[in-house]
Amino acid sequence: MSDTFQLDGKNVPFESGQTVMQAALAAGHYIPHLCYHPEFKPHGSCKLCTVKVGGRTAASCTMPAEAGLNVESNIEEMNGLRRTLVQMLFAEGNHFCPSCEKSGNCMLQALGYDLEVHTAGFRHLYPDRPLDASHPDILLDFNRCILCELCVRASSEVDGKNVFALSGRGIAKHLIVNAKSELLKDTDIALADKAMQVCPVGVILKKRVGFSVPIGERRYDQRPISAQALDDAPRLSDASSSCAACEGTP
Amino acid sequence: MSRKLRIATTSLAGCFGCHMSLLDIDERLLALLELVEFDRSPITDIKHCGPCDIGLIEGGICNAENVHVLREFRTHCKILIAIGSCAITGGLPAQRNHLDLASCLTEVYLTEPGLAHGHIPNDPELPLPLDKVHPLHEVVKIDYFIPGCPPSGDAIWKFLTDLIAGKTPELGHGLIKYD
């Protein structure tokens, strides 16, 4: 019999080495998250998965599960914090959903829906971030980057290429591509790369597939992200299948 | 039945898409008219907002006239609702916010190819554009926000009927949309 911890008053079993997030998802309990991805080492940067453990806050994607922990996640205090984080991510970039090909498949947008974010909350910064349309098959729209580093991790850990990196600090931090020209066309990225499939928002887009699925019939139009994420989670143990959390193009 | 609630609506720096969505409640407009009457609105063509219970404002603030109209609504409406992306974040018009206004006007009216003898409009009747496009809540207090570009007729119907029934309006999955 495996050990258990408490999540919002429910017993959650876990295996040694699992994080709170991994154990929760495997047991069918959703904790909101953005930079966490079942196939990658936890990053712990977006803080959406922050939970309360013994009165203190911690990122559940990096927190090791321990017997007897009392974890609080779906409480107004944590959801209010998550709402603020989502508002800050929206305010920092240029997230103009009506013109974004990722709308309906976007995790940031879906989290906004799930957390019922109706308002801007913060003064939007409207940064000036030019596109990189240099590559014949791939478009980079930096306006939407949330700095989750999933593309950075996918490119280095899975593709073995190091196409992407983050540069700068604080508010100046931004996504760069690994080429002297700073253009995607001069990197060795390929359409089949894992880095092409993991962006939770609309930064890395395959060209010429716009509206292949109509608005209103997309992933998070059909079911809220809290339900979708649980469907994706069991695939964690099934190494042969690809992860449904990666929004691949059909 | 107590008196009908009075509603005013207007579009500032918007496209009237949210008003089209209001019309998308279709025959429920007749049910709505049992509960409310319209003050200033494209439906009535009344030019100034009088004392109202609810004000619905589409579009952000991009010029001096928008500010005047918004303040008039705030003065006269007990509840003011920002409806749609432009009212809530600036939306499409705010896509100029990372650019310099003078260079925008210069490019559109003077240097863009095909504009022979163009000039930047300067008729004194035209409201002066603001340096940046602003969401409504940066100018006056806004009580409620209905996101969407535009919000669907169903979302508007749900929000208004909740509000009129005295409940906290809730949208929920499928009705809360940013696109």
Side-chain angles (χ1 to χ4, degrees):
Chain A
M1 191 186 139
S2 59
D3 286 323
T4 64
F5 63 87
Q6 292 268 304
L7 173 63
D8 292 329
K10 296 192 185 84
N11 277 326
V12 177
F14 68 94
E15 287 159 22
S16 171
Q18 275 189 318
T19 60
V20 168
M21 172 71 81
Q22 285 168 334
L25 288 175
H29 303 289
Y30 172 69
I31 300 175
H33 55 270
L34 261 181
C35 74
Y36 170 76
H37 187 296
E39 292 179 40
F40 295 98
K41 225 171 88 178
H43 195 239
S45 63
C46 79
K47 304 297 177 197
L48 256 292
C49 74
T50 299
V51 291
K52 220 169 174 184
V53 185
R56 302 176 70 170
T57 54
S60 60
C61 72
T62 55
M63 172 114 193
E66 271 179 53
L69 284 183
N70 182 21
V71 181
E72 295 173 284
S73 172
N74 192 18
I75 55 174
E76 185 45 38
E77 185 185 348
M78 289 300 107
N79 286 332
L81 180 74
R82 290 170 185 143
R83 240 170 252 132
T84 303
L85 288 171
V86 166
Q87 287 175 326
M88 288 165 78
L89 287 171
F90 270 104
E92 200 174 299
N94 293 309
H95 298 273
F96 185 55
C97 298
S99 76
C100 181
E101 169 55 23
K102 202 65 180 274
S103 193
N105 293 324
C106 170
M107 287 181 71
L108 179 65
Q109 183 194 57
L111 274 166
Y113 294 169
D114 226 31
L115 293 163
E116 299 193 62
V117 178
H118 288 194
T119 62
F122 297 91
R123 181 169 291 222
H124 280 219
L125 300 181
Y126 307 109
D128 187 7
R129 298 188 194 160
L131 309 183
D132 180 348
S134 63
H135 194 283
D137 300 314
I138 302 162
L139 172 71
L140 286 186
D141 189 336
F142 297 106
N143 289 292
R144 303 158 182 164
C145 185
I146 56 168
L147 309 173
C148 69
E149 282 200 34
L150 272 171
C151 60
V152 178
R153 288 181 273 166
S155 188
S156 67
E157 290 173 27
V158 181
D159 305 328
K161 289 187 177 177
N162 289 317
V163 170
F164 297 103
L166 293 188
S167 175
R169 287 183 182 278
I171 195 67
K173 188 181 264 195
H174 62 289
L175 184 67
I176 55 168
V177 296
N178 185 12
K180 209 161 193 179
S181 63
E182 298 181 27
L183 293 173
L184 194 66
K185 72 177 169 70
D186 296 323
T187 68
D188 51 356
I189 193 167
L191 280 176
D193 286 358
K194 189 75 178 169
M196 282 299 299
Q197 302 160 22
V198 291
C199 183
V201 291
V203 178
I204 306 172
L205 297 170
K206 191 179 168 190
K207 288 184 177 176
R208 293 178 293 277
V209 290
F211 297 98
S212 59
V213 179
I215 297 276
E217 295 175 21
R218 297 182 176 191
R219 183 176 172 76
Y220 302 118
D221 291 330
Q222 295 167 18
R223 301 175 69 204
I225 191 170
S226 47
Q228 289 284 8
L230 289 176
D231 286 353
D232 300 340
R235 300 179 184 216
L236 209 139
S237 55
D238 182 2
S240 62
S241 74
S242 67
C243 172
C246 318
E247 191 264 317
T249 35
Chain B
M1 169 85 203
S2 53
R3 74 169 177 89
K4 285 184 178 180
L5 294 177
R6 207 164 164 83
I7 293 189
T9 78
T10 193
S11 176
L12 303 177
C15 69
F16 280 93
C18 297
H19 276 81
M20 296 305 291
S21 254
L22 175 61
L23 296 181
D24 271 344
I25 68 174
D26 297 329
E27 70 272 18
R28 288 171 291 184
L29 258 178
L30 300 175
L32 185 65
L33 285 171
E34 296 291 318
L35 304 169
V36 308
E37 57 191 1
F38 281 93
D39 191 276
R40 172 178 171 156
S41 167
I43 297 170
T44 60
D45 211 24
I46 296 171
K47 302 298 182 196
H48 287 277
C49 173
C52 283
D53 299 289
I54 299 171
L56 276 175
I57 300 194
E58 162 195 343
I61 300 295
C62 79
N63 64 35
E65 191 215 8
N66 294 158
V67 178
H68 285 286
V69 175
L70 178 61
R71 288 190 171 143
E72 182 179 288
F73 267 68
R74 181 68 277 182
T75 303
H76 290 106
C77 300
K78 290 180 194 158
I79 293 172
L80 205 52
I81 304 174
I83 177 168
S85 295
C86 302
I88 296 171
T89 68
L92 178 71
Q95 303 295 296
R96 74 161 160 91
N97 278 4
H98 70 278
L99 303 168
D100 173 63
L101 176 61
S103 57
C104 272
L105 292 171
T106 305
E107 184 166 341
V108 169
Y109 291 105
L110 299 177
T111 61
E112 187 74 357
L115 288 171
H117 315 298
H119 72 280
I120 295 172
N122 59 0
D123 190 299
E125 291 228 345
L126 289 173
L128 280 174
L130 303 181
D131 184 34
K132 302 291 175 201
V133 178
H134 298 270
L136 304 185
H137 66 267
E138 288 185 8
V139 181
V140 299
K141 182 187 187 307
I142 299 294
D143 301 294
Y144 293 101
F145 301 81
I146 311 178
C149 187
S152 66
D154 288 340
I156 295 172
W157 172 254
K158 173 75 165 60
F159 202 95
L160 284 182
T161 49
D162 276 1
L163 192 65
I164 291 167
K167 294 189 283 190
T168 301
E170 281 179 18
L171 291 177
H173 182 255
L175 292 182
I176 176 170
K177 290 277 181 185
Y178 302 154
D179 60 11

